[in-house]
């Protein structure tokens, strides 16, 4: 077709008969057979308008605006419809000036051309020009009114849109639908419902707008009530209606209703619609029925990127990260190109597996697809790198981003805080304010944890006060957890306890647990006992509270209390979470528990640790038996300490990686004070950086020091 079009422009060189045969071919390809009867005449330029018309629209459809224009210029007196087509083409390309110029050049303008210009202004984002145009129109029809109302709503000018809507002489159902939809997308839910109730007649689009609108505004239950009303009124749902209703079911885990809708989908034959399938997968995945989700996927042979992505996301949501990444791989094997959502979900799963190597692979895919700088993908990359212990890679992604939103800033601030780079987090916050990005509640969590992990009490107090008072950010339990943690770490246990008592709403158990943890660190039995009581009142089976209290008693030598707690835990069937650490080498995760002797390389690991014990002793290291937490003899305690799970993982890391490389170990509990001291020295002895992530943060051990500055 391109060749035919190209040849047509060279009409002067070719013999007329050949030109006509080419035109016939072109027209038949454009399926405009009716024009062909006009050929065979000598006066080509006069009678050729209809084929020009088709060719012009062909160029415009393919985005070849300049070719369309040069063809347009050749037409001796183009009609209104050709002008209108050209104007639409310019608007499509965002070339408003060209569109307007042509519009003013038009010898005669009809209502369609005015409407088209109006639409063009809105398409190019110029609302005031559109309003201007609308004012100038001598004649308006329902399309003109609906177009301007839609435009105003899209720009958030709801009041003006509303006024025009009521001024509109005759309103068709499309106009009513526009207004209902506009109210919803501008958060005016009650007005939307009221207007819907007032509608003189409704079609399926009206119902779909209400269902989708309610769901998107967090009122999924009502959305489903409207869906049922719709069915009771004998309206036949379309694929969009079904997808909206399923999304509502997914959001509130309404599994019974969702399964019923699934039945309806099968009955109405929509089960092979790709968007409906994707919604079904998401619905089952959200309701934790991942097997059903995967069977929907398997039954469907038409899988577009939306369907594939729904399953990747679904597996991730159910904690099945390995499966999610397998589906992601399968998708690429089937040559379905991932979009930003697929990449984001895959990166989340890499993060869930703490597998930075897999994350780097996804990063490469994003790079190849040119989606590396997409704001959502970049944000996920930052989270993936920082959570996997690679803060520098996270910062590199952040720095490269051309456009950043509040999520990008929050992700990097939280990342720096977790890695103990408190000052960096605060510097980034200053930059964020300078770039006029409004901070939100997550920014405050990041800042408080940055202050907490770096012992910056004064700054933390400042942020806490400022955000609550000046930025009017609602303080949640999470903020109080961070603030209590900060006060507690700095030894201000009384202030922390008073803060909890003065909370506007009742504290949840996490807030009390933060106080309990802090009082344990400061060996303050009184505060710890009060905090533990509050935790257990709210969360009777909280094993962390029992463990913390029992450890505190053990470290202060109160062995009778320890055995009381142990008995209570046993009686109530509360299990202590066993400590474990893991390290990933060449994509394989190696797990260790304290004193583990199950690893195939155990002999070598223990040899290495034994060698380190000697080296550490030379540096003056004395094990601190306070952290052994078992009622046993001192020598035995020392032995136990040397084989805490993180040390076994580090020992394995040392014998399985090249000299000088960084070792990254993850731990499911808080690192104990003795291991912390020992690892600092180990980093000095072996001349390597050792990164340990425990429950509260990342520790970067380098040349005998830790990035946390012993605050953790
Ligand atoms: Zn330890
Ligand atoms: Zn540390």
């Amino acid at each position: 077709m391109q060749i035919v079009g190209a040849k047509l422009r060279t009409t002067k060189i070719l013999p007329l008969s050949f030109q006509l045969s080419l035109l016939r071919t072109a027209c038949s390809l454009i399926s405009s057979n009716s024009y062909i009867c006009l050929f065979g005449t000598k006066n080509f330029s006069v009678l050729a308008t209809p084929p020009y018309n088709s060719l012009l629209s062909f160029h415009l459809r393919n985005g070849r605006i300049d070719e369309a224009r040069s063809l347009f210029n050749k037409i001796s007196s183009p009609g209104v419809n050709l002008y209108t087509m050209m104007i639409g083409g310019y608007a499509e390309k965002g070339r408003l000036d060209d569109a307007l110029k042509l519009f003013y050049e038009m010898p005669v303008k009809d209502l369609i051309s005015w409407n088209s210009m109006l639409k063009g202004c809105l398409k190019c984002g110029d609302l005031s020009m559109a309003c201007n145009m609308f004012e100038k129109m001598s004649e308006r029809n329902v399309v003109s009114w609906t177009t301007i109302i839609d435009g105003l709503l899209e720009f958030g000018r709801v009041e003006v849109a509303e006024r025009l809507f009521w001024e509109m002489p005759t309103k068709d159902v499309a106009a009513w639908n526009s207004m209902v939809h506009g109210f919803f997308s501008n958060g005016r839910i009650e007005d939307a419902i009221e207007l819907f109730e007032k509608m003189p007649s409704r079609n399926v689009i009206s119902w779909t707008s209400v269902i989708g609108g309610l769901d998107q505004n967090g009122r999924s239950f009502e959305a489903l009530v409207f869906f049922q009303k719709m069915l009771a009124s004998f309206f036949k749902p379309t694929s969009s209606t079904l997808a909206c209703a399923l999304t509502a079911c997914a959001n509130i885990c309404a599994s019974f209703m969702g399964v019923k809708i699934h039945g309806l989908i099968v009955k109405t034959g929509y089960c092979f619609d790709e968007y409906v399938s994707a919604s079904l997968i998401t619905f089952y995945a959200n309701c934790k029925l991942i097997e059903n989700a995967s069977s929907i996927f398997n039954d469907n042979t038409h899988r577009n990127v939306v369907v594939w992505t729904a399953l990747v996301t679904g597996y991730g949501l159910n904690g099945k990260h390995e499966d999610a990444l397998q589906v992601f791989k399968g998708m690429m094997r089937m040559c379905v190109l991932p979009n930003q959502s697929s990449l984001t979900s895959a990166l989340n799963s890499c993060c869930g597996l703490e597998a930075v190597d897999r994350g780097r692979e996804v990063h490469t895919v994003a790079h190849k697809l040119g989606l590396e700088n997409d704001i959502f993908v970049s944000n996920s990359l930052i989270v993936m790198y920082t959570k996997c212990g690679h803060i520098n890679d996270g910062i590199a992604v952040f720095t490269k981003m051309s456009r950043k939103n509040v999520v990008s800033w929050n992700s990097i601030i939280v990342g720096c805080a977790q890695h103990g780079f408190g000052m960096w987090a605060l510097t980034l916050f200053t930059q964020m304010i300078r770039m006029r990005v409004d901070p939100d509640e997550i920014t405050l969590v990041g800042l408080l944890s940055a202050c907490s992990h770096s012992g910056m009490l004064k700054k933390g107090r400042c942020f806490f006060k400022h955000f609550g008072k000046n930025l009017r950010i609602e303080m949640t339990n999470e903020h109080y957890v961070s603030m209590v943690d900060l006060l507690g770490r700095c030894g201000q246990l009384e202030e922390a306890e008073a803060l909890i008592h003065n909370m506007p709403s009742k504290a949840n158990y996490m807030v009390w647990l933060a106080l309990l943890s802090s009082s344990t660190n400061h060996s303050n039995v009184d505060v710890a006992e009060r905090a533990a009581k509050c935790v257990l009142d709210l969360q009777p089976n909280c094993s962390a509270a029992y463990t913390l209290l029992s450890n505190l008693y053990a470290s202060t030598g109160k062995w009778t209390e320890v055995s009381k707690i142990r008995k209570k835990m046993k009686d109530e069937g509360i299990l202590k979470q066993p400590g474990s650490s893991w390290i990933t080498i060449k994509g394989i995760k190696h797990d260790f528990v304290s004193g583990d002797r199950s690893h195939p390389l155990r002999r070598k690991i223990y040899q290495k640790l034994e060698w380190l014990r000697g080296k550490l002793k030379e540096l003056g290291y004395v094990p601190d038996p306070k952290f052994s937490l078992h009622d046993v003899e001192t020598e035995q305690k020392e032995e136990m300490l040397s084989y805490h799970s993180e040390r076994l993982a580090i020992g394995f890391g040392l014998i399985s990686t090249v000299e000088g490389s960084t070792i990254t170990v993850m731990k499911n509990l808080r690192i104990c004070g003795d291991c912390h001291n020992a690892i600092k020295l180990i980093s000095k002895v072996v001349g390597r950086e050792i990164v340990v992530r425990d429950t509260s943060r990342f520790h970067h051990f380098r040349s005998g020091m830790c990035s946390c500055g012993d605050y953790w």
Side-chain angles (χ1 to χ4, degrees):
M1 198 56 228
Q2 222 162 347
I3 300 161
V4 177
K7 293 227 167 126
L8 275 172
R9 286 196 304 278
T10 59
T11 41
K12 277 180 189 148
I13 324 158
L14 297 166
L16 186 64
S17 60
F18 189 58
Q19 289 171 23
L20 289 175
S21 88
L22 271 175
L23 266 169
R24 276 191 202 99
T25 324
C27 290
S28 64
L29 280 169
I30 306 164
S31 75
S32 308
N33 290 334
S34 55
Y35 301 147
I36 293 174
C37 60
L38 293 165
F39 300 141
T41 164
K42 281 177 191 166
N43 196 348
F44 175 73
S45 66
V46 176
L47 285 172
T49 307
Y52 267 136
N53 184 337
S54 298
L55 251 183
L56 195 68
S57 92
F58 174 74
H59 280 318
L60 292 174
R61 262 207 316 274
N62 289 289
R64 289 196 293 263
I65 185 81
D66 293 323
E67 274 143 318
R69 183 58 195 255
S70 64
L71 184 68
F72 179 84
N73 288 344
K74 281 183 194 147
I75 305 169
S76 56
S77 50
V80 186
N81 62 329
L82 290 194
Y83 268 104
T84 311
M85 272 166 69
M86 263 322 291
I87 289 168
Y90 276 129
E92 196 65 46
K93 285 272 169 193
R95 285 164 63 171
L96 184 60
D97 289 343
D98 290 319
L100 282 168
K101 197 164 167 265
L102 201 61
F103 182 71
Y104 289 123
E105 276 170 24
M106 272 177 92
V108 205
K109 300 176 185 76
D110 65 359
L111 187 54
I112 300 174
S113 48
W114 274 96
N115 283 345
S116 166
M117 195 58 241
L118 186 63
K119 228 177 237 164
C121 293
L122 291 168
K123 190 151 207 122
C124 298
D126 196 335
L127 180 67
S128 62
M129 180 60 84
C131 291
N132 212 344
M133 207 48 79
F134 184 75
E135 289 300 319
K136 276 191 203 153
M137 286 173 85
S138 55
E139 185 199 349
R140 295 161 186 155
N141 65 0
V142 68
V143 177
S144 341
W145 284 91
T146 315
T147 307
I148 194 74
I149 290 172
D150 266 342
L152 286 161
L153 288 167
E154 205 170 301
F155 282 86
R157 305 275 298 275
V158 197
E159 281 76 23
V160 191
E162 201 180 351
R163 186 170 53 76
L164 285 184
F165 177 74
W166 293 116
E167 274 174 24
M168 198 172 166
T170 40
K171 306 176 195 43
D172 63 356
V173 67
W176 284 88
N177 287 346
S178 280
M179 201 59 221
V180 169
H181 177 76
F183 272 142
F184 273 125
S185 46
N186 285 282
R188 287 183 43 184
I189 308 153
E190 301 310 327
D191 294 315
I193 298 172
E194 204 187 307
L195 198 68
F196 175 79
E197 302 291 356
K198 272 192 197 148
M199 280 177 88
S201 71
R202 302 178 186 117
N203 60 13
V204 66
I205 301 174
S206 333
W207 285 98
T208 309
S209 292
V210 172
I211 297 163
L214 281 167
D215 180 50
Q216 276 158 18
N217 282 284
R219 289 164 64 165
S220 310
F221 183 78
E222 279 168 84
L224 293 174
V225 173
F226 272 89
F227 179 66
Q228 276 173 316
K229 274 192 203 167
M230 173 189 168
L231 295 182
S233 315
F234 302 106
F235 277 97
K236 210 170 155 265
T238 61
S239 57
S240 323
T241 328
L242 293 166
C244 283
L246 276 172
T247 311
C249 293
N251 287 341
I252 52 169
C253 292
S255 48
F256 183 73
M257 184 71 184
V259 171
K260 247 173 88 177
I261 297 175
H262 187 182
L264 188 67
I265 288 167
V266 174
K267 236 190 260 168
T268 47
Y270 278 120
C271 40
F272 297 112
D273 179 288
E274 284 155 337
Y275 290 91
V276 173
S277 310
S279 308
L280 269 174
I281 293 172
T282 305
F283 156 68
Y284 281 118
N286 271 26
C287 294
K288 306 287 171 211
L289 297 164
I290 190 69
E291 298 307 320
N292 296 24
S294 80
S295 75
I296 300 278
F297 178 84
N298 291 333
D299 291 348
N300 205 327
T301 45
H302 300 284
R303 299 170 192 154
N304 65 1
V305 61
V306 184
V307 177
W308 281 94
T309 305
L311 194 63
V312 177
T313 316
Y315 273 128
L317 209 68
N318 284 269
K320 297 190 169 233
H321 299 302
E322 194 55 60
D323 292 319
L325 291 179
Q326 287 308 325
V327 175
F328 182 74
K329 254 190 191 167
M331 169 179 182
M332 286 193 294
R333 218 176 295 124
M334 298 303 285
C335 301
V336 177
L337 292 184
N339 61 16
Q340 45 161 241
S341 310
S342 346
L343 291 164
T344 307
S345 294
L347 285 169
N348 282 346
S349 285
C350 298
C351 194
L353 291 171
E354 287 156 348
V356 74
D357 294 345
R358 315 277 289 273
R360 282 190 207 284
E361 280 169 28
V362 180
H363 190 166
T364 311
V365 175
H367 175 76
K368 281 185 186 156
L369 291 172
L371 287 169
E372 188 186 11
N373 293 321
D374 174 273
I375 197 157
F376 295 98
V377 176
S378 298
N379 289 348
S380 302
L381 280 169
I382 297 175
V383 175
M384 186 276 292
Y385 280 124
T386 54
K387 288 208 170 157
C388 289
H390 296 253
I391 181 77
N392 288 334
D393 292 297
I395 290 173
V397 172
F398 178 78
T399 318
K400 260 189 153 174
M401 285 174 85
S402 50
R403 211 162 61 82
K404 300 175 177 102
N405 61 9
V406 63
V407 181
S408 334
W409 288 97
N410 286 347
S411 310
I412 197 72
I413 289 175
V414 170
C416 286
Q418 282 168 341
H419 285 267
F421 301 117
M423 281 317 289
W424 292 10
L426 300 197
T427 311
L428 283 162
F429 175 67
T430 322
Q431 281 176 20
M432 174 182 181
I433 299 298
R434 211 176 294 140
M435 303 296 284
R436 297 179 190 284
V437 179
D438 287 332
D440 63 8
E441 56 278 4
I442 299 172
T443 322
L444 179 59
V445 173
L447 290 172
L448 290 178
S449 90
C451 293
S452 179
H453 291 319
S454 306
M456 297 184 284
L457 180 59
K458 226 170 127 187
K459 285 212 164 69
R461 276 198 190 115
C462 233
F463 284 129
F464 192 75
K465 220 168 126 187
H466 173 72
F467 270 71
K469 208 171 151 191
N470 302 342
L471 299 178
R472 299 191 181 283
I473 280 174
E474 213 180 302
M475 293 290 165
T476 60
N477 275 304
E478 205 181 344
H479 295 124
Y480 280 94
V481 168
S482 307
M483 196 60 209
V484 167
D485 191 56
L486 168 60
L487 288 165
R489 275 173 211 282
C490 299
Q492 308 294 320
L493 294 174
E494 260 175 53
E495 192 182 334
E497 201 175 356
L499 182 75
I500 304 178
H501 284 297
N502 290 326
M503 274 173 72
S505 56
K506 216 172 158 246
N508 71 2
Y509 84 96
M510 291 297 287
V511 181
W512 287 109
L513 195 63
L515 182 66
L516 172 58
S517 166
S518 303
S519 38
T520 314
N521 288 343
H522 291 282
S523 303
N524 188 327
V525 179
D526 287 345
V527 181
E529 282 175 343
R530 282 199 296 274
K533 191 183 171 304
C534 293
V535 175
L536 296 172
D537 280 347
L538 295 162
Q539 189 81 6
N541 288 334
C542 179
S543 77
Y546 283 110
T547 312
L548 280 168
L549 200 58
S550 145
N551 288 355
L552 173 62
Y553 286 140
S555 67
T556 47
K558 298 188 171 176
W559 297 109
T560 359
E561 299 296 326
V562 173
S563 54
K564 265 192 210 162
I565 292 184
R566 286 207 184 130
K567 188 177 176 302
K568 183 140 196 232
M569 284 177 84
K570 209 175 159 194
D571 293 347
E572 310 266 325
I574 300 160
L575 295 175
K576 187 180 162 183
Q577 193 185 9
S580 77
S581 299
W582 56 98
I583 180 168
T584 308
I585 289 174
K586 287 185 188 130
I588 298 167
K589 192 173 155 193
H590 299 260
D591 268 297
F592 296 90
V593 292
S594 192
D596 205 333
R597 288 183 188 272
S598 62
H599 197 275
L601 293 178
R602 59 189 171 273
R603 247 172 44 93
K604 279 189 165 176
I605 297 171
Y606 278 86
Q607 260 171 18
K608 189 80 188 174
L609 290 180
E610 210 40 55
W611 173 79
L612 278 171
R613 205 150 83 149
K615 288 278 169 196
L616 258 50
K617 253 195 185 132
E618 283 171 25
L619 288 170
Y621 159 79
V622 186
D624 189 343
K626 193 174 95 183
F627 294 102
S628 182
L629 313 176
H630 286 276
D631 193 9
V632 285
E633 292 305 316
T634 314
E635 197 183 329
Q636 219 179 328
K637 277 183 191 173
E638 269 179 38
E639 174 119 328
M640 280 180 184
L641 282 170
S642 311
Y643 304 127
H644 273 181
S645 62
E646 57 269 51
R647 293 207 214 177
L648 294 173
I650 291 171
F652 175 64
L654 287 173
I655 59 168
S656 348
T657 53
V658 287
E659 286 284 325
S661 60
T662 303
I663 293 172
T664 308
V665 168
M666 308 285 183
K667 180 170 169 113
N668 68 340
L669 299 177
R670 202 167 160 271
I671 183 171
C672 83
D674 186 66
C675 286
H676 196 266
N677 280 336
I679 301 168
K680 281 201 281 191
L681 295 174
I682 294 174
S683 74
K684 193 174 176 179
V685 171
V686 299
R688 293 215 210 177
E689 179 175 351
I690 300 172
V691 181
V692 179
R693 196 223 57 203
D694 68 1
T695 38
S696 71
R697 61 173 300 144
F698 280 93
H699 300 262
H700 292 254
F701 298 94
R702 219 178 286 137
S703 355
M705 312 254 271
C706 179
S707 63
C708 72
D710 296 338
Y711 268 107
W712 82 99

